[in-house]
Amino acid sequence: MRVVQKFGGSSVADAASIKRVAQRIVDTKARGAEVVVVISAMGDTTDELMDLALQVSPQPRPRELDMLLTAGERMSAALLAMAINDLAFEARSFTGSQAGVITTGTHGDARIIDITPGRIETALEDGDIVIVAGFQGVSQTSKDITTLGRGASDTTAVALAAALGADYCEIYSDVDGVFTADPRIVPGATRIPEISYEEMLEMAAQGAKILHLRCVEYARRENVPVHVRSSFSTKPGTWVKDIEVKEGSGMEQPLITGVAHDRSESKITVVGVPDRVGAAAEVFSAVADAGVNIDMIVQNQSIANDNTAITFTLPGGDKVKALDALHGARERIGFAEILYDDAIGKVSVIGVGMRSHPGVSATFFRALAETGINIQMISTSEIRISVVVGADDVDAAVRAAHTAFGLDSVSGEAVVYAGTGR
Ligand code: ASP
Ligand code: MG
């Protein structure tokens, strides 16, 4: 049996928690498993290092930022190995680079290209517990240290589990698994015992922070079963895996599996776009050339004046890039004006059950209407319906949807054990 266990920052926030996690790892090892641990930086260390960098320099070079941020995971990895050693077990810590995590060269958002886990295999053969610093690797070309994006220790863990042929990957955090909504907003949210990769991908993409999006993509591609659970309890969590629903198996699909929300996006409306061939292509080429990834798009059919409005959402942090690009292209495209709004949020209902059931949109929109919430934009996929609402309406919209689809727990409240949710 070979297991990869990942512990998030709130599980190793201080010395006492590091010792507690060490005990938990040792228990797994004592049951006879080969154990590889991926660790995040302690508590809010990454945010604090980032704040510090910005105090020293308003625009730190990405290479130096990665050198700085990776130190957080290196600290917790070494401390954890020490704590395990004191429990009379052998443990060795490795940086991402030492562990063979080879990445692209994009600092702050590198992708894993390959994993060459030779040193890990050797350490496992020696009977050691292996501790790997998460969220980091080494660039194949420049040999510089890279980071994989915020929250990416999850991705390190799943990638290692795949490369090492682990039986499964356990992701330990501060809640008991994946819930039908964020328990911080919906106290009656319920734990989802099992969820398909497909639904988990949508949940993560639509703002559920419990698992890093690329971690789920990786797990699905490599077929790694992921057990999301709490390091503060021994309760079973959520298994993210390949779930095959057999026709006629009598298995009841819930209509909606979960409700996700995302406050990080903002909205741009380009007003008075001429109604001619190629106008939309020009608007979005300008935005794409600025390196901005957009999400939802709405364009109305032009009714009067031979022009229309195009509205789209984008990451809030890309405001300046996107607005500059559009203003620069204004003459060429010939639109009238640009409106920007960051006081918005996106609320999504997700479930494979909606494939075969009509009326899901109607139920969702009626629940919002009865709560007095105005819908600004709508988008759908085969297993998801998302709406954009005002930022102040997000919590109420999540609760309304959760209740409308019968997801409220009857058996008590979800527990959030730790973490600042920062
Ligand atoms: N420490 C990094 C972060 O805060 C990576 C992680 O926790 O997964 O984003
Ligand atoms: Mg995380």
Side-chain angles (χ1 to χ4, degrees), residues 106-163:
T106 320
H107 287 291
D109 195 26
R111 305 288 141 136
I112 297 175
I113 308 173
D114 193 15
I115 297 199
T116 50
R119 295 193 67 184
I120 301 186
E121 290 284 6
T122 309
L124 289 175
E125 275 160 30
D126 292 345
D128 290 4
I129 294 170
V130 173
I131 317 286
V132 179
F135 149 81
Q136 54 182 277
V138 59
S139 158
Q140 189 172 44
T141 44
S142 67
K143 308 291 179 220
D144 280 331
I145 298 301
T146 53
T147 60
L148 307 174
R150 297 305 309 270
S153 293
D154 296 352
T155 304
T156 305
V158 167
L160 279 175

Side-chain angles (χ1 to χ4, degrees), residues 327-344:
H327 282 300
R330 181 169 177 173
E331 290 280 289
R332 185 159 34 88
I333 305 173
F335 58 82
E337 62 170 324
I338 300 173
L339 307 175
Y340 180 83
D341 182 3
D342 55 14
I344 60 156

Side-chain angles (χ1 to χ4, degrees), residues 45-383:
T45 302
T46 310
D47 288 304
E48 286 158 13
L49 290 173
M50 188 75 100
D51 292 348
L52 187 58
L54 294 177
Q55 283 167 38
V56 170
S57 156
Q59 267 178 325
R61 297 234 175 115
R63 179 189 185 279
E64 302 311 325
L65 207 49
D66 278 359
M67 284 296 280
L68 178 72
L69 297 186
T70 49
E73 268 69 14
R74 195 164 160 164
M75 279 168 61
S76 48
L79 290 166
L80 188 57
M82 293 174 196
I84 294 174
N85 290 335
D86 278 358
L87 296 171
F89 280 76
E90 288 304 316
R92 239 186 286 174
S93 66
F94 295 94
T95 65
S97 168
Q98 290 173 326
V101 181
I102 319 273
T103 72
T104 58
T106 320
H107 287 291
D109 195 26
R111 305 288 141 136
I112 297 175
I113 308 173
D114 193 15
I115 297 199
T116 50
R119 295 193 67 184
I120 301 186
E121 290 284 6
T122 309
L124 289 175
E125 275 160 30
D126 292 345
D128 290 4
I129 294 170
V130 173
I131 317 286
V132 179
F135 149 81
Q136 54 182 277
V138 59
S139 158
Q140 189 172 44
T141 44
S142 67
K143 308 291 179 220
D144 280 331
I145 298 301
T146 53
T147 60
L148 307 174
R150 297 305 309 270
S153 293
D154 296 352
T155 304
T156 305
V158 167
L160 279 175
L164 294 165
D167 294 83
Y168 54 89
C169 180
E170 290 186 316
I171 307 267
Y172 285 92
S173 79
D174 50 16
V175 286
D176 283 317
V178 183
F179 280 72
T180 49
D182 184 342
R184 292 180 172 91
I185 295 183
V186 184
T190 40
R191 180 178 60 89
I192 305 170
E194 284 188 350
I195 186 169
S196 63
Y197 291 123
E198 200 185 5
E199 287 171 305
M200 195 62 232
L201 264 182
E202 285 279 16
M203 293 279 284
Q206 301 312 319
K209 293 199 189 64
I210 183 89
L211 280 183
H212 195 240
L213 177 60
R214 293 214 315 272
C215 147
V216 190
E217 286 170 352
Y218 219 108
R220 164 145 116 162
R221 193 171 63 235
E222 305 284 337
N223 205 5
V224 178
V226 178
H227 188 188
V228 184
R229 54 192 305 198
S230 168
S231 70
F232 297 83
S233 82
T234 51
K235 292 186 206 162
T238 299
W239 280 95
V240 185
K241 57 181 199 177
D242 199 9
I243 298 172
E244 214 191 311
V245 186
K246 292 192 190 70
E247 290 278 342
S249 64
M251 209 167 109
E252 185 73 34
Q253 273 295 318
L255 198 52
I256 293 302
T257 302
V259 184
H261 71 280
D262 186 355
R263 294 177 209 277
S264 68
E265 293 190 352
S266 57
K267 186 179 83 174
I268 286 180
T269 301
V270 188
V271 182
V273 182
D275 190 10
R276 61 168 167 80
V277 172
E282 283 164 19
V283 167
F284 290 107
S285 300
V287 178
D289 291 345
V292 176
N293 240 323
I294 55 156
D295 178 21
M296 281 193 204
I297 302 176
V298 171
Q299 179 192 281
N300 275 325
Q301 208 178 335
S302 84
I303 302 170
N305 310 331
D306 291 334
N307 69 52
T308 181
I310 295 179
T311 305
F312 60 93
T313 62
L314 69 161
D318 287 342
K319 171 182 180 178
V320 178
K321 275 199 279 183
L323 292 181
D324 283 354
L326 285 170
H327 282 300
R330 181 169 177 173
E331 290 280 289
R332 185 159 34 88
I333 305 173
F335 58 82
E337 62 170 324
I338 300 173
L339 307 175
Y340 180 83
D341 182 3
D342 55 14
I344 60 156
K346 185 172 59 170
V347 177
S348 309
V349 297
I350 290 143
V352 291
M354 74 172 73
R355 270 192 189 125
S356 49
H357 284 269
V360 177
S361 316
T363 304
F364 185 20
F365 301 160
R366 195 178 317 113
L368 297 177
E370 280 164 6
T371 317
I373 296 170
N374 186 40
I375 300 173
Q376 303 182 11
M377 296 171 79
I378 299 171
S379 92
T380 62
S381 85
E382 214 189 336
I383 64 164

